[in-house]
Amino acid sequence: MKPNRIILTLASLGIASFSAFAETGGAPNLKENAERYFQAVYEGDLPALNKLATDDIVISYPIFETIFGKRAIRGIDGVRAFSKHFSSKWVGREFAINEEIQQGDTVVLVWQFRARDSEAPTNKVRSWGGISVIHFNADGKVVSEVGEESSPGPVDRLKDENGEPSHPDS
């Protein structure tokens, strides 16, 4: 069986206003919320981020210690500042969600990212991937995102020397 793969060019999504609740009889659709949240953070969509995350949200990736000197970004204001800077630094963003897994109030995303570094002298295109664990509260809002990332990302590591998927289910 082939895994579902969603490829998104973030600038073309045009995320406008939406509720944190999907059309599921009032219950939050956490997979959908995880995708929207992830897109909002890395596209710099601050109004959407405000709707999808709690005020006391925490985001942690190993790279944060190198970049920011701390393991986590805490609070919506810190996440908003990170989102705004990230979206201005990385242009021509392409984002792919390769797999989503939900258990209870947690969604795991396996993803890939590719963009041009506007702050680098050469405007070099860079890509990486990762795995993010996103936790939600009872209202369907994100309370934390904890992730690991690498270059090449998890999906790209499964490709053979010709760039073709080598995983039997791909």
Side-chain angles (χ1 to χ4, degrees), residues 3 5 8-9 19 66 83 91 111 131 149 154 158:
R5 183 171 178 178
L8 307 167
T9 303
S19 169
T66 302
S83 176
V91 296
W111 52 269
I131 299 171
E149 51 190 22
L158 293 176

Side-chain angles (χ1 to χ4, degrees), residues 70-125:
K70 55 187 176 182
R71 293 182 181 180
I73 299 170
R74 298 182 183 280
I76 192 68
D77 291 337
V79 173
R80 288 171 51 88
F82 167 76
S83 176
K84 188 174 179 180
H85 179 262
F86 187 94
S87 66
S88 68
K89 175 180 175 61
W90 299 103
V91 296
R93 293 173 293 276
E94 295 176 12
F95 173 79
I97 296 174
N98 300 97
E99 193 165 351
E100 300 173 276
I101 302 165
Q102 179 179 346
Q103 183 172 357
D105 64 356
T106 302
V107 174
V108 177
L109 300 177
V110 179
W111 52 269
Q112 295 179 155
F113 183 83
R114 177 181 165 91
R116 193 168 35 84
D117 185 349
S118 68
E119 295 178 357
T122 60
N123 283 327
K124 184 176 180 176
V125 173

Side-chain angles (χ1 to χ4, degrees), residues 36-54:
R36 288 178 171 169
Y37 159 80
F38 212 69
Q39 294 160 6
V41 169
Y42 298 102
E43 182 62 21
D45 186 345
L46 304 183
L49 183 57
N50 287 339
K51 291 179 182 181
L52 292 163
T54 61

